[in-house]
Amino acid sequence: MAASPETGTAIRACAQAVIRAIETHGHDTAQLTAALREPLAALAARPDLCTAGVPRLGNHVANSQYLYYDGDLSILLFELPDGRPIDVHDHGNWESMAIYRGRVKHTVYERRDDGSVPGKADLTVVEDRVRSRATAS
């Protein structure tokens, strides 16, 4: 199935909603999460979404695509390896996640040390849960 023109419209609408939510709610995580839930769920509901992206080199994944990129905001679609954990890593930026298909065990950590020892980190779990299709945070 090829992506329809409506999919491109849906991707742009989602990106615009994300931008508005960030402008409106800033660093208020609870409000931002609530504002992102609907546009991300609407995008994840598209059955042709996997055919809409532009390939990109992904970290920790074999299949990764840009759905949207404007220099400040990117919306990515990628496949996580089934049944294989991904090493703890720092994206170095803010992110939100919506599940397109399946389930993901997702753990969020907070660094407790000062980062002065290369390759080492004292971490504490902030959130540890299983996420499934069309949930965002």
Side-chain angles (χ1 to χ4, degrees):
M1 168 190 312
S4 70
E6 292 82 21
T7 300
T9 301
I11 292 167
R12 281 188 299 284
C14 181
Q16 290 166 347
V18 169
I19 292 165
R20 279 191 307 275
I22 293 167
E23 289 171 348
T24 302
H25 303 294
H27 296 285
D28 184 335
T29 305
Q31 291 291 324
L32 200 50
T33 297
L36 295 178
R37 191 165 279 118
E38 186 177 322
L40 289 175
L43 187 59
R46 300 225 35 108
D48 59 349
L49 193 60
C50 287
T51 63
V54 175
R56 71 178 276 275
L57 182 61
N59 296 329
H60 315 287
V61 297
N63 182 15
S64 183
Q65 305 171 70
Y66 283 109
L67 295 177
Y68 178 89
Y69 179 81
D70 69 11
D72 291 320
L73 173 67
S74 57
I75 299 176
L76 309 174
L77 181 68
F78 54 88
E79 268 180 69
L80 296 173
D82 191 21
R84 198 178 89 219
I86 294 174
D87 292 338
V88 174
H89 58 281
D90 182 0
H91 289 265
N93 59 3
W94 177 88
E95 75 170 9
S96 184
M97 177 188 300
I99 309 302
Y100 183 63
R101 281 193 294 234
R103 297 166 21 126
V104 173
K105 182 180 184 304
H106 188 249
T107 305
V108 177
Y109 300 90
E110 180 176 50
R111 188 173 200 147
R112 296 168 23 146
D113 63 357
D114 64 4
S116 62
V117 180
K120 301 286 183 184
D122 181 14
L123 304 174
T124 186
V125 173
V126 174
E127 180 183 341
D128 191 18
R129 67 181 170 137
V130 173
R131 299 168 186 219
S132 59
R133 181 178 177 185
T135 61
S137 66

